[in-house]
Amino acid sequence: SERDGTSALNARLCRDVAALAPSGGDAALAYTLGSCDRSVGATLAGKLALGEIKAPAAGVSLSFTGYAGQAFGFACTRGMRLSLSGFANDALGEAMSGGSIAVFPPAEVRVGADADLSLVGNAVAYGAIGGALFVRGRAGQRVGVRNSGATIVVEGAGKYAFEYMTGGVGVVLGEIGAVIASGMTGGVVYGLEVPR
């Protein structure tokens, strides 16, 4: 509840996943969110990591539509598969350790015509140690900074992508801003510059 610092949507996610836990197969749930919904998935990730909620054996797929506030998928962990049709603010997938996050444009956005449009904000997957993040669009600045084990794929990135990376894989399928991989000591980054 709001009283203990958990947003209404995060509390609902926890209730819904807890109710699914006894089922053996993959479970799929769908939600609409808005920019006031921040750190969506973080409370569930914490409860899964602590064993307070048991995910179905095959994991849980959580689909979202809308405009996510800051830190969508924060601390995403094993058993969680998040997908967002829409846009996400800064800190998407920050501190993720497992699971997967996919972000793709809503149906009304033509990807080719809106190639310069950033789909997700800055500091995407900052400090990630595992899991996979896929963005069918551009990311802002500082994508994958301090990544030590996640796989991160975006279709364009601003400045300072993959700074201080120590492990994992970064892929940019589009234009990359200045100062890529500065201070990087491990992992691998692939970049594909797409001419304008």
Side-chain angles (χ1 to χ4, degrees), residues 65-67 84-87 104-112 114 119 136:
T65 304
Y67 302 86
L84 170 63
S85 173
F87 297 86
F104 49 93
E108 63 271 15
V109 174
R110 295 189 330 253
V111 176
D114 300 304
L119 203 60
R136 190 172 172 221

Side-chain angles (χ1 to χ4, degrees), residues 18-160:
L20 290 171
S23 69
D26 183 20
L29 301 167
Y31 305 89
T32 300
L33 48 63
S35 59
C36 60
D37 293 311
R38 297 183 299 274
S39 302
V40 170
T43 305
L44 176 61
K47 290 184 180 293
L48 288 170
L50 292 171
E52 294 175 13
I53 293 178
K54 301 278 189 225
V60 60
S61 296
L62 304 171
S63 299
F64 299 87
T65 304
Y67 302 86
Q70 289 186 326
F72 176 80
F74 180 86
C76 184
T77 191
R78 189 167 31 106
M80 295 174 68
R81 288 181 300 279
L82 308 180
S83 68
L84 170 63
S85 173
F87 297 86
N89 209 317
D90 296 347
L92 166 76
E94 190 172 65
M96 69 184 295
S97 63
S100 66
I101 302 172
V103 182
F104 49 93
E108 63 271 15
V109 174
R110 295 189 330 253
V111 176
D114 300 304
D116 289 336
L117 183 66
S118 287
L119 203 60
V120 299
N122 300 314
V124 169
Y126 192 106
I129 63 170
L133 172 67
F134 306 97
V135 179
R136 190 172 172 221
R138 288 184 53 81
Q141 296 184 10
R142 292 195 154 84
V143 62
V145 171
R146 300 193 186 280
N147 176 27
S148 64
T151 297
I152 302 165
V153 181
V154 296
E155 292 186 349
K159 293 180 180 177
Y160 315 116

